Amino acid sequence: EMQLVDSGGGLVQAGGSLRLSCAASGFTFDDYAIGWFRQAPGKEREGVSCISSRDGSTNYADSVKGRFTISSDNAKNTVYLQMNSLKPEDTAVYYCAAALGSSWWGFPEGYLEVWGQGTLVTVSS
């Protein structure tokens, strides 16, 4: 069974940092692009970042460029999202997601094959 387990969310003050983890199982990690969406209260879900487990190429939303860094540990089948300089507007439920190929950036959500359960990030002002 294909599965993603995301973790690492929590409460942090503005300017602080958090690191999210996404542990994958049940599929060939190297063949997939993995990353995060987020959904803030009352807003649509949006892509945050994506990484190719094959070649390490990355994509970021403009709102997080320079503050968030995505990375992949293929030995552990785990993707990380290091979030620095957090802002109250980063408050959301973050969902890990995966799709076959080198990137899912710009594709509709229906393209994603497996989703994590979500982890809540709350940034206080």
Side-chain angles (χ1 to χ4, degrees):
E1 177 188 3
M2 299 175 67
Q3 189 175 19
L4 296 174
V5 177
D6 40 26
S7 61
L11 174 64
V12 64
Q13 289 187 333
S17 298
L18 283 174
R19 189 178 79 159
L20 305 184
S21 299
C22 175
S25 61
F27 58 93
T28 304
F29 187 81
D30 291 0
D31 290 341
Y32 279 72
I34 300 176
W36 274 269
F37 286 79
R38 68 184 180 185
Q39 188 166 23
K43 295 187 177 181
E44 292 187 355
R45 192 155 54 185
E46 62 175 355
V48 176
S49 183
C50 171
I51 186 168
S52 166
S53 301
R54 181 176 301 167
D55 62 17
S57 57
T58 59
N59 298 95
Y60 294 95
D62 289 343
S63 58
V64 307
K65 282 181 181 176
R67 300 188 298 122
F68 291 10
T69 302
I70 193 168
S71 61
S72 177
D73 185 337
N74 290 32
K76 295 183 178 180
N77 285 3
T78 300
V79 172
Y80 303 98
L81 185 68
Q82 179 67 42
M83 306 186 295
N84 298 329
S85 302
L86 282 161
K87 304 176 181 180
E89 51 264 44
D90 294 318
T91 294
V93 178
Y94 285 69
Y95 298 90
C96 182
L100 185 68
S102 60
S103 178
W104 49 251
W105 198 255
F107 284 76
E109 288 189 17
Y111 185 76
L112 284 299
E113 297 181 41
V114 59
W115 292 81
Q117 79 282 7
T119 185
L120 177 62
V121 172
T122 304
V123 184
S124 63
S125 58

